[in-house]
């Protein structure tokens, strides 16, 4: 058993927020594995490397000059905390995350986040590949409607117009693509606990994770 809580779930399920808060509550380290794929995509873009060029992107990922400092993320000595959150880099992250050689290049780096205290790890293959011996695995989800409503509120979109319908359609399309992708598909592992946050607050969700861990 590894002192790891692994969290996965569909896009916009709030796993990053929950994982960071659980880590803070336990005094454990936190791994935002999606950030590593975003950093890889940005690094490739900065080097004019096509996101589909598996060997070249994997070589960059293996030597990624990235650092996490508190709440900030740095690449090549530059603060890229905001830059990696753009829609475009999100698409790039999704493209490079499909490449097996890139996933392999990032594997050990992710495992190095585990400290003696423990680690909360957020991302697609945390429980299946990176930390298969994790003490607790959680599949965090919420209905597509609720996830779309949360996203719309975040960016100030009314819940009754065409813009909202588009957000919901995007989330549904993203779910379908994530479930059917051949590499690291979105799935609930047989040994993962299902945590549906549709009718739970952030605090209640964090508490449920802590209760399971302490049980
Ligand atoms: O919230 P969202 O899933 O859009 O973003 P993220 O967690 O920052 O992940 C960025 C991209 O990397 C997504 O396409 C994820 O599916 C992918 N990813 C992955 O394949 N494996 C991970 N361990 C983490 C993220």
């Amino acid at each position: 058993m590894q002192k790891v809580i692994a969290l996965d779930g569909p896009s916009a399920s709030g796993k990053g927020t929950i994982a960071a808060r659980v880590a803070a509550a336990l005094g454990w380290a936190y791994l935002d594995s999606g950030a590593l794929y975003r950093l890889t995509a940005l690094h490739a873009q900065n080097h004019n490397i096509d996101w589909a060029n598996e060997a070249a992107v994997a070589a960059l990922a293996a030597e990624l000059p990235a650092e996490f400092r508190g709440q900030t993320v740095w690449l090549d000595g530059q603060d890229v905390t905001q830059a990696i959150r753009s829609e475009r880099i999100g698409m790039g992250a999704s493209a490079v995350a499909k490449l097996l050689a890139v996933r392999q290049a990032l594997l050990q780096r992710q495992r190095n986040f585990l400290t003696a205290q423990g680690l909360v790890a957020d991302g697609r293959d945390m429980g299946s590949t990176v930390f298969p011996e994790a003490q607790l695995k959680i599949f965090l989800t919420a209905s597509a409607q609720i996830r779309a409503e949360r996203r719309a509120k975040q960016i100030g979109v009314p819940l009754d117009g065409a813009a909202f319908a588009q957000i919901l359609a995007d989330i549904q399309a993203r779910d379908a693509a994530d479930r059917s992708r051949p590499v690291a598909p979105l799935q609930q592992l047989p040994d993962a606990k299902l945590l549906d946050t549709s009718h739970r607050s952030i605090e209640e969700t964090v508490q449920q994770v802590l209760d399971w861990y302490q049980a």
Side-chain angles (χ1 to χ4, degrees):
M1 277 295 189
Q2 292 170 306
K3 216 170 162 193
V4 173
I5 297 177
L7 269 130
D8 190 12
S11 171
S13 63
K15 52 191 192 300
T17 305
I18 301 303
R21 292 203 189 198
V22 169
L26 292 170
W28 289 12
Y30 165 52
L31 165 61
D32 172 4
S33 62
L36 288 172
Y37 290 96
R38 289 172 179 271
L39 283 161
T40 301
L42 178 60
H43 198 42
Q45 179 175 281
N46 290 345
H47 284 77
N48 293 316
I49 304 258
D50 196 290
W51 288 327
N53 185 339
E54 182 157 10
V57 176
L60 286 180
E63 304 287 333
L64 202 61
E67 230 188 294
F68 293 83
R69 293 186 207 153
Q71 306 291 320
T72 61
V73 189
W74 296 71
L75 180 65
D76 254 341
Q78 284 203 318
D79 183 346
V80 295
T81 315
Q82 297 299 323
I84 60 165
R85 296 293 152 198
S86 74
E87 195 63 35
R88 179 171 165 76
I89 294 302
M91 282 166 51
S94 167
V96 303
K98 289 184 190 127
L99 309 174
L100 212 52
V102 172
R103 304 195 75 85
Q104 275 158 359
L106 291 174
L107 187 58
Q108 191 53 48
R109 189 181 193 117
Q110 296 175 83
R111 289 184 174 151
N112 291 345
F113 276 79
L114 178 54
T115 64
Q117 279 78 36
L119 176 71
V120 182
D122 146 22
R124 185 55 40 86
D125 56 348
M126 294 301 104
S128 59
T129 308
V130 184
F131 300 107
E133 301 297 320
Q135 203 165 329
L136 177 60
K137 299 179 187 180
I138 292 173
F139 190 77
L140 195 74
T141 191
S143 68
Q145 175 74 26
I146 296 272
R147 284 183 281 136
E149 287 176 12
R150 288 177 184 161
R151 183 147 283 179
K153 282 179 195 155
Q154 226 172 31
I155 55 177
V157 164
L159 301 184
D160 52 3
F164 176 74
Q166 189 57 52
I167 292 175
L168 179 58
D170 287 348
I171 283 183
Q172 287 165 332
R174 175 80 187 268
D175 282 358
D178 281 355
R179 284 183 196 284
S180 64
R181 78 181 198 186
V183 174
L186 174 67
Q187 56 173 340
Q188 185 188 347
L189 296 171
D191 56 349
K193 288 187 188 297
L194 177 67
L195 181 45
D196 188 326
T197 72
S198 299
H199 305 291
R200 278 186 171 95
S201 67
I202 292 175
E203 290 72 24
E204 287 166 337
T205 307
V206 169
Q207 195 53 50
Q208 177 63 78
V209 176
L210 294 173
D211 288 350
W212 276 334
Y213 171 67
Q214 277 144 10

